Amino acid sequence: MTEKVSGPRLLEPQPANRGPEARPHRRLQLKSLGEVAALIALIVVFAALNPTSFLTPQNMRTILELASLPLVVGVGSTLVILTGSIDLSVEGVMGAGGMTFVLLTANSRGTADLGFWALPAALLVGMGLGLLIGLVHTALKVPSFIVSLGTWFIGLGIATLLYGDSGIPFLSDAALKSWPTRLTIGLPNAFLLAAVIVLAGIAVTRFTRLGRFAYAIGNNEEIARANGIPVGRYKVYIFVAAGACSAAAGILASLQLGQGSSTVGNGNLFTTIAAVVIGGTSLGGGRGGILRTAVGVLMLTVLNNGLILSGVSPNLQSAVSGAVLIAAVLAAAWPHRSRLRIVK
């Protein structure tokens, strides 16, 4: 008879039942240095190619500001991917959350100004869309790929309805619009906010039941369920957290833009998923983490910034980014190709 085991011992974020593929903690740490080494190599290469422009304080701040949105989205996306699922709703949820925030704060349309309360209201929109994904995925057994794709368009539809046809809703508060780019301790506020969210996400994955359960579910969902983990409930929690992260990114993007836009999230899905994979988090679940995703985001941001400074055409930049993503997926998946499974 199988005995149910409770307590945190079972739920440490380490690969379980992987046989010869399990690695000592030290090897995992050494492997993590590979992404950091790649980031340093990119910085060295582009600093050599653009000695007068790349390592300037202004360009470093630009890189950090550009990295802020995918860092925020990446926290939620990493949690979802750690469970073996995927969230494709990012851009739609960003649009819905961003438009909600703009219309509930001081704006050129003169709609209701809730002040500070516009922020939690917008986050609740994202959490509600995340809740929808989680409930449909767990209760109706619909693959997260399909549910989140549909929710992307639901969020986009909500954002489009809120945008309406009454003219662009511009933010009226000049201080609010300039907040993301203002410097605190020499760093853009947008990046500092992203760093706080990343640190909070790391703390969740390392020190809370939610994080430990995410790894356990991703390692083997059936074993996790057999050992008493409420898999469905915690998957819902994680999708709600991912929705909140996407909505927060939509708010930040709207502040950077200075206006409401239903398409404020465009382009962030590819960047985020690519950063998660390049950082070393397995699409099959159970391996990786938010710190790895942060390194992946910085790698992609440095790559794109360096290519721009080097005069590479935008079309070629997209091709290079796609090639880097494919190479990263192959490098991560090839050693484990015999046991790869489709993302749930």
Side-chain angles (χ1 to χ4, degrees):
M1 181 175 66
T2 301
E3 181 182 357
K4 289 187 177 181
V5 181
S6 61
R9 292 177 299 168
L10 171 70
L11 307 170
E12 290 300 321
Q14 300 172 358
N17 303 308
R18 298 277 186 175
E21 292 178 358
R23 294 286 187 268
H25 184 59
R26 179 172 294 181
R27 288 191 183 181
L28 284 174
Q29 286 181 327
L30 291 175
K31 184 179 178 181
S32 299
L33 295 177
E35 289 81 15
V36 177
L39 174 60
I40 294 173
L42 283 174
I43 294 173
V44 170
V45 168
F46 287 122
L49 292 175
N50 308 280
T52 62
S53 57
F54 183 76
L55 287 180
T56 62
Q58 181 178 359
N59 191 54
M60 291 297 101
R61 288 194 293 266
T62 298
I63 289 174
L64 295 180
E65 190 174 347
L66 290 173
S68 59
L69 289 180
L71 282 173
V72 174
V73 177
V75 172
S77 295
T78 302
L79 285 172
V80 171
I81 290 173
L82 283 174
T83 67
S85 300
I86 197 163
D87 182 9
L88 301 181
S89 68
V90 167
E91 296 183 7
V93 177
M94 284 183 66
M99 280 301 305
T100 300
F101 172 76
V102 170
L103 293 180
L104 292 181
T105 192
N107 65 88
S108 59
R109 284 190 190 172
T111 52
D113 181 5
L114 300 185
F116 168 80
W117 296 106
L119 181 62
L123 293 177
L124 282 173
V125 170
M127 293 169 70
L129 291 171
L131 178 64
L132 174 64
I133 298 172
L135 290 177
V136 173
H137 172 53
T138 57
L140 302 182
K141 308 302 180 185
V142 180
S144 58
F145 178 93
I146 300 299
V147 184
S148 60
L149 184 62
T151 306
W152 174 0
F153 291 101
I154 292 175
L156 184 60
I158 292 172
T160 303
L161 287 173
L162 291 175
Y163 186 82
D165 55 3
S166 302
I168 299 173
F170 292 97
L171 292 171
S172 302
D173 190 335
L176 192 62
K177 289 190 290 185
S178 64
W179 182 87
T181 55
R182 287 206 304 268
L183 301 182
T184 302
I185 61 171
L187 299 173
N189 285 335
F191 174 75
L192 291 175
L193 173 63
V196 168
I197 294 175
V198 167
L199 291 175
I202 292 172
V204 166
T205 56
R206 293 194 176 184
F207 305 117
T208 70
R209 184 172 292 183
L210 180 69
R212 294 193 296 269
F213 283 2
Y215 281 97
I217 294 168
N219 279 327
N220 193 308
E221 187 172 315
E222 294 306 317
I223 290 178
R225 185 177 285 108
N227 281 283
I229 296 176
V231 172
R233 187 200 314 167
Y234 276 88
K235 276 191 168 184
V236 171
Y237 293 163
I238 287 171
F239 276 109
V240 169
C245 288
S246 295
I251 295 169
L252 182 56
S254 297
L255 290 174
Q256 291 175 330
L257 190 61
Q259 65 182 59
S261 172
S262 58
T263 59
V264 74
N266 280 7
N268 284 281
L269 176 62
F270 171 81
T271 302
T272 303
I273 299 298
V276 172
V277 175
I278 289 171
T281 296
S282 170
L283 287 173
R287 301 171 188 259
I290 290 170
L291 185 58
R292 284 174 170 267
T293 296
V295 175
V297 167
L298 292 175
M299 286 174 63
L300 280 179
T301 308
V302 167
L303 175 63
N304 290 330
N305 177 266
L307 290 174
I308 291 171
L309 292 180
S310 301
V312 177
S313 72
N315 292 333
L316 188 55
Q317 291 171 34
S318 299
V320 171
S321 298
V324 169
L325 175 59
I326 293 173
V329 171
L330 288 175
W334 189 257
H336 316 298
R337 59 193 180 280
S338 61
R339 64 169 183 82
L340 283 179
R341 55 191 172 91
I342 297 175
V343 175
K344 297 187 286 295

